[in-house]
Amino acid sequence: MKYNPILRSKRLNAAGFTLIEISLVIALLLGLLAVVFLGLGSYRNGANQAQCRMVLASVQKAVRSYANMQNLLPGAVVDAANLGNGVIMTTTPVCPTGTAYTFTGTVPAVGVSYGTCGVTLPVSHALTNIQDW
């Protein structure tokens, strides 16, 4: 076979990607996807925590309002069964993680939470800064 310089120059100047370049792009995309999926888990946990605290705050305010309308003093019995039947609230509150709430069953004193959530990890869903409720 004879040496043909025209064919050799066409082969050397051919455009395209090498296997290493394609592998590098795929590796970078997989790394970005991993960061996104890790971030979504943290976002979901934070959103669940915020929603749970909002539900507990709503329950706290509803029980306070019920106690004020019924002239109940702190320590008076408030039946937790009344939370979901339209007496205090229209529906029974549920934590977004599926964890059950625990209620004290009495009108809480100012600064004390009426209900708690069982979630403690990765971050507690407990109410904070309720000194004036």
Side-chain angles (χ1 to χ4, degrees):
M1 182 172 211
K2 251 180 152 180
Y3 175 70
N4 188 346
I6 295 172
L7 289 177
R8 179 147 174 86
S9 66
K10 282 184 182 178
R11 190 173 30 173
L12 290 177
N13 294 331
F17 294 106
T18 65
L19 185 59
I20 294 174
E21 291 171 330
I22 292 173
S23 299
L24 182 63
V25 169
I26 290 173
L28 287 172
L29 289 175
L30 289 175
L32 289 173
L33 282 174
V35 169
V36 167
F37 282 116
L38 291 174
L40 285 177
S42 298
Y43 176 78
R44 187 179 303 116
N45 289 338
N48 285 343
Q49 176 191 15
Q51 186 177 3
C52 184
R53 286 183 177 177
M54 287 179 57
V55 168
L56 286 173
S58 296
V59 169
Q60 181 84 4
K61 291 171 186 176
V63 168
R64 279 263 173 241
S65 297
Y66 176 76
N68 287 338
M69 288 188 291
Q70 301 297 322
N71 290 327
L72 300 175
L73 297 174
V77 175
V78 175
D79 190 8
N82 289 337
L83 280 178
N85 64 7
V87 176
I88 298 175
M89 296 181 81
T90 56
T91 59
T92 304
V94 178
C95 180
T97 61
T99 307
Y101 289 123
T102 305
F103 299 109
T104 61
T106 60
V107 177
V110 174
V112 177
S113 178
Y114 177 74
T116 58
C117 180
V119 174
T120 56
L121 294 174
V123 178
S124 174
H125 289 186
L127 283 178
T128 57
N129 299 327
I130 58 171
Q131 293 87 1
D132 57 346
W133 298 1

